[in-house]
Amino acid sequence: MLSFTVIAVVFGVIFLAELPDKTALASLMLGTRYRASYVFAGVAAAFVVHVALAIAAGSLLTLLPHRLVQGVVGLLFLGGAAMLLLSKGEEEEDVKPPADQSFWKVAGAGFTLILVAEFGDLTQIMTANLAARYSDPVSVAIGAVLGLWAVAALGIFGGQLLMKRVPLHLITRVAAGVMIVLAGFSLYEAIAG
């Protein structure tokens, strides 16, 4: 059964963590050069694969003792918050977009870029942690995919406007704050048992 609370929490956490990421900048860059719907199709497909891998990893974590998992999840959330707070900001990566403007070439470039850039990324680790924390893989997957798609859509269709209105350092601090709160809950559960 779906939990709209879990979907909403996961959406918020993943959305905030992904906003300052290099993927949003890469999506923005591809979206300014190519047909936005083609770019989004490739990026969206890559995020589905990305989340499926994270959910599988998180589901394996649920096989371990609950207190141990909560302790590890709490520490990983703290590490994620530290990574966000201590990062110097992402640089725009050099991406060679396809010369061919066809759907398959543009969507393929977006898919490949995101799949490679996101592998082992903070949001993938966070998605696995959330899957382990909530033991509700479908709700976590829906929330994570929607959060990633929302960031990609903002990056592709309106990223420049968002970044003009909301400072990147503020977005990063809010995401880190949410992760610290989640770490606190997880560590409390690990200790209180």
Side-chain angles (χ1 to χ4, degrees):
M1 186 167 177
L2 290 179
S3 168
F4 291 106
T5 302
V6 171
I7 291 170
V9 167
V10 172
F11 174 89
V13 169
I14 297 299
F15 180 85
L16 289 172
E18 189 65 20
L19 270 178
D21 194 63
K22 62 188 170 291
T23 307
L25 297 173
S27 298
L28 171 65
M29 186 188 70
L30 285 172
T32 60
R33 294 183 185 177
Y34 296 100
R35 189 176 205 166
S37 60
Y38 291 4
V39 174
F40 184 77
V43 167
F47 278 134
V48 170
V49 172
H50 163 78
V51 168
L53 293 171
I55 294 296
S59 295
L60 291 175
L61 290 176
T62 61
L63 301 175
L64 299 172
H66 181 71
R67 291 178 78 176
L68 174 66
V69 170
Q70 291 305 321
V72 170
V73 166
L75 293 174
L76 288 171
F77 275 130
L78 282 177
M83 284 174 59
L84 283 175
L85 291 172
L86 299 174
S87 71
K88 302 285 188 227
E90 299 286 348
E91 299 289 327
E92 184 177 327
E93 295 183 359
D94 290 331
V95 178
K96 290 202 170 217
D100 184 356
Q101 294 276 336
S102 73
F103 172 80
W104 292 111
K105 294 287 185 175
V106 173
F111 178 86
T112 303
L113 173 69
I114 298 306
L115 192 64
V116 171
E118 286 294 305
F119 193 77
D121 193 53
L122 176 63
T123 53
Q124 190 172 37
I125 294 166
M126 288 174 53
T127 301
N129 289 343
L130 290 163
R133 175 165 178 39
Y134 290 111
S135 297
D136 185 356
V138 175
S139 296
V140 171
I142 290 170
V145 166
L146 291 176
L148 293 166
W149 284 0
V151 171
L154 281 173
I156 293 167
F157 298 107
Q160 292 175 333
L161 293 174
L162 177 68
M163 294 305 174
K164 285 180 184 176
R165 298 190 187 273
V166 181
L168 189 59
H169 72 278
L170 177 62
I171 295 167
T172 301
R173 286 201 167 94
V174 169
V178 169
M179 280 191 264
I180 289 170
V181 169
L182 287 171
F185 283 129
S186 295
L187 291 172
Y188 173 78
E189 284 184 14
I191 293 168

